[in-house]
Amino acid sequence: MAVAPMTKVIDSDVHPWVNGDIEGLKPYLSSAWQERFEGRLRLPDHPLRPPLAGATSIRHDAKPPSGGAGGSDPHFMREDLLDRYNIEYAILSSIQAGKLATLPNANEATVLARAFNDFFVNEWLTVDSRYKLAMCVAVHDPAEAAKEIRRIGHDKGVVAVFMPLLNILMGNRYYFPIYEAAEELGLPVLIHPTGTEGGFETSVSFAGGVPSTYIERHTIFPEIAIGNVVSMVLEGVFVQFPRLKVVVAEFGYTWVPHFLWRLDQNWRQFRREVPWLQHEPSKYLLEHVRFTTQPEEEAEKPEYLLQILEMMHADRTLIFSTDYPHWDNDVPQNTLRHAPETMRQRIFYENAAELYGLA
Amino acid sequence: MFAMKHYVAPVSQIPDGQRLITTVNGRSIGIFNVKGKFYALRNVCPHKQAPLCLGSLGGTMVPTDRPGEFEYGLEDRVLRCPWHGWEFDIATGKALFGISDRRVATYPVEIEDDKLYVEMR
């Protein structure tokens, strides 16, 4: 198949890594906190590992020559991702920081979130202006999370707020201080699988029970996004925060049409439960929520995927992502090759440029 | 086609707060007595053809400005379908608050002495 011509590309899901977890964050922790973490400097892994070399989700061939894990060297990533695929901006979100969801202690999670942010602001954003940061927050303490957003959210390198979720749905007003701060600073909030789901008491639970393999937990990631998006729309988050945007990263997207329709169908029946919605719920979703492309969904026939893109209004709602340096990363030239060129431009660049204010 | 006046029942057969489901001119309709005011509607929900006039009559949650805020209103104006709960204005037959642009047919009611008539085309 011919390689589709590419114009400009924004990559909305890229994962940098801090070698040694908390060990690597030490320069950004007070001596008291370094002492507090002594002897437990590693963040825990989900017990269900990918059945890949090293049981890691990081590509073996993305290891930088400088040593360390794939994704840990901003100079190597510049060559291996930005230059190689001609990416204009890469939105960095730390899935390593997603492991904060395993911590039962709000003080620890808050301090580590701040250290992750200072690390990436100092050691990544300074390397190349194409790097943009989805800063992380510890949602364990929403008031402190809001402070953190106001502390660094003004930095022009910070373009989103990554919320590693606890087992509380996003429509819950528990999170409202975070949304208030994000809206105030014009930053979308971003959710992404934390990789801890179903594995820890504080992490997001899977519906029905606990999966028993990596293939199983990976396959059912979408249910987390479905529950949270539906919760936000119906609980009136976008009524309360009319300028807030949400990025749903790496949760798939072919399920979106079903939930657009199902939301509206149920609203016609049960509107009186949520009388604060000013119009059908699907309109809130289309206006406020964006989905990333990776992993590109492999439909039985390419035309099926095109139909779904149309059903989900992908020219507004879908944004390209690689997920570099993970095992299942997509590259721009091989992604959505069958989509019409005008839609590709929206997906690969314009939707994200508008979302993050990078136009 | 001109509207025709059809006799339905003696007025006394539908006391305040009651309803009568009957067939007039081949159509199933419901006649409601709400505090002495009479309404007649087609007994077919435009959504899934359920027997709408067997649904509950009352008020509903009117639109509010803030999440978590409820305001109950439109008492005695809202006919709710017994199947999916679609809500209609009993006076106009319109679905409420933009849930649908479909509407249920309504018929003018006339009372002469103790006789209740509806107008139907």
Side-chain angles (χ1 to χ4, degrees):
Chain A
M1 171 131 353
V3 173
M6 285 310 303
T7 51
K8 292 194 286 189
V9 177
I10 294 174
D11 179 352
S12 286
D13 195 34
V14 177
H15 304 309
W17 190 262
V18 180
N19 286 319
D21 291 348
I22 301 173
E23 178 75 46
L25 292 175
K26 271 185 172 174
Y28 299 93
L29 293 170
S30 70
S31 52
W33 275 109
Q34 290 181 39
E35 180 62 31
R36 184 75 185 84
F37 284 116
E38 200 45 54
R40 50 189 187 109
L41 294 166
R42 304 307 299 262
L43 291 164
D45 275 332
H46 195 295
L48 303 176
R49 307 307 307 148
L52 299 164
T56 170
S57 58
I58 300 176
R59 267 173 44 200
H60 213 57
D61 62 325
K63 272 193 200 306
S66 55
S72 66
D73 181 342
H75 299 276
F76 179 68
M77 192 190 285
R78 171 159 66 181
E79 289 167 34
D80 200 36
L81 176 70
L82 303 184
D83 295 344
R84 176 177 297 187
Y85 300 111
N86 198 25
I87 286 166
E88 187 157 313
Y89 296 108
I91 315 302
L92 307 172
S93 60
S94 167
I95 301 316
Q96 192 177 20
K99 296 181 184 187
L100 296 180
T102 66
L103 299 177
N105 185 301
N107 291 322
E108 294 180 4
T110 298
V111 160
L112 290 177
R114 198 180 300 144
F116 270 114
N117 289 331
D118 287 341
F119 181 98
F120 292 120
V121 167
N122 283 332
E123 306 200 16
W124 282 73
L125 297 187
T126 51
V127 168
D128 195 304
S129 60
R130 287 174 291 181
Y131 290 133
K132 300 291 175 189
L133 182 65
M135 62 173 288
C136 67
V137 290
V139 303
H140 306 58
D141 185 339
E144 283 298 322
K147 273 190 209 164
E148 177 68 357
I149 293 167
R150 293 188 174 101
R151 183 178 74 91
I152 61 163
H154 293 284
D155 189 315
K156 70 175 172 36
V158 174
V159 297
V161 177
F162 169 41
M163 296 171 61
L165 295 177
L166 299 179
N167 201 30
I168 300 171
L169 287 170
M170 289 178 83
N172 196 296
R173 68 191 61 174
Y174 170 87
Y175 292 120
F176 280 18
I178 296 174
Y179 302 151
E180 189 180 7
E183 186 189 50
E184 181 186 310
L185 290 166
L187 301 173
V189 298
L190 181 151
I191 58 165
H192 187 289
T194 60
T196 71
E197 291 84 358
F200 300 86
E201 184 95 1
T202 46
S203 299
V204 170
S205 299
F206 285 114
V210 184
S212 59
T213 52
Y214 182 80
I215 186 177
E216 189 178 342
R217 75 176 173 95
H218 188 271
T219 303
I220 60 177
F221 278 153
E223 70 177 52
I224 297 165
I226 291 166
N228 279 290
V229 168
V230 167
S231 168
M232 290 188 100
V233 168
L234 294 179
E235 293 266 41
V237 167
F238 304 118
V239 175
Q240 185 93 5
F241 304 102
R243 290 176 293 117
L244 184 69
K245 306 279 183 186
V246 179
V247 183
V248 173
E250 210 180 332
F251 286 104
Y253 55 86
T254 53
W255 48 268
V256 173
H258 174 57
F259 283 89
L260 289 170
W261 304 342
R262 192 171 172 87
L263 272 168
D264 285 358
Q265 185 173 340
N266 272 347
W267 176 74
R268 289 191 282 273
Q269 296 156 183
F270 305 129
R271 183 209 60 85
R272 61 194 168 275
E273 270 197 302
V274 287
W276 42 85
L277 298 188
Q278 308 295 313
H279 47 69
E280 60 267 43
S282 64
K283 272 174 82 169
Y284 289 103
L285 197 159
L286 294 172
E287 177 69 23
H288 293 273
V289 186
R290 300 293 175 260
F291 304 89
T292 62
T293 56
Q294 181 280 338
E296 183 175 24
E297 306 216 15
E298 296 170 1
E300 183 186 349
K301 297 178 185 173
E303 58 263 37
Y304 292 169
L305 193 58
L306 292 182
Q307 288 165 6
I308 287 176
L309 293 178
E310 189 181 339
M311 292 177 210
M312 68 178 287
H313 301 256
D315 58 341
R316 296 166 62 195
T317 59
L318 197 60
I319 56 180
F320 171 75
S321 61
T322 61
D323 191 36
Y324 180 92
H326 288 168
W327 59 273
D328 51 349
N329 58 190
D330 289 333
V331 301
Q333 286 73 10
N334 293 336
T335 303
L336 294 172
R337 287 184 301 190
H338 300 277
E341 194 46 40
T342 50
M343 185 186 271
R344 281 173 59 85
Q345 278 177 20
R346 297 292 310 169
I347 294 170
F348 281 82
Y349 189 82
E350 290 162 14
N351 287 339
E354 290 165 13
L355 175 71
Y356 298 117
L358 293 173
Chain B
M1 217 164 96
F2 294 105
M4 294 269 291
K5 210 161 85 174
H6 299 270
Y7 174 69
V8 179
V11 174
S12 55
Q13 201 184 318
I14 316 172
D16 183 14
Q18 301 292 304
R19 68 186 73 177
L20 174 70
I21 311 288
T22 184
T23 301
V24 173
N25 196 25
R27 287 174 225 176
S28 178
I29 66 168
I31 295 115
F32 295 78
N33 179 345
V34 183
K35 298 187 168 69
K37 192 163 170 45
F38 288 88
Y39 302 95
L41 301 91
R42 186 89 195 267
N43 184 27
V44 179
C45 182
H47 177 214
K48 297 270 185 181
Q49 289 71 54
L52 175 65
C53 295
L54 298 180
S56 58
L57 180 66
T60 191
M61 297 300 172
V62 297
T64 51
D65 294 331
R66 291 171 61 81
E69 207 170 80
F70 289 95
E71 190 184 332
Y72 187 76
L74 297 180
E75 182 63 22
D76 293 332
R77 280 288 295 272
V78 182
L79 181 60
R80 184 187 298 171
C81 183
W83 286 11
H84 299 89
W86 280 32
E87 293 178 329
F88 297 89
D89 183 331
I90 195 173
T92 65
K94 286 184 180 168
L96 285 166
F97 308 124
I99 59 164
S100 171
D101 51 14
R102 283 181 264 180
R103 60 189 294 174
V104 58
T106 58
Y107 309 103
V109 176
E110 277 183 43
I111 291 170
E112 286 170 19
D113 303 321
D114 186 42
K115 293 188 167 70
L116 188 144
Y117 300 85
V118 295
E119 275 186 26
M120 234 179 234
R121 286 173 192 280

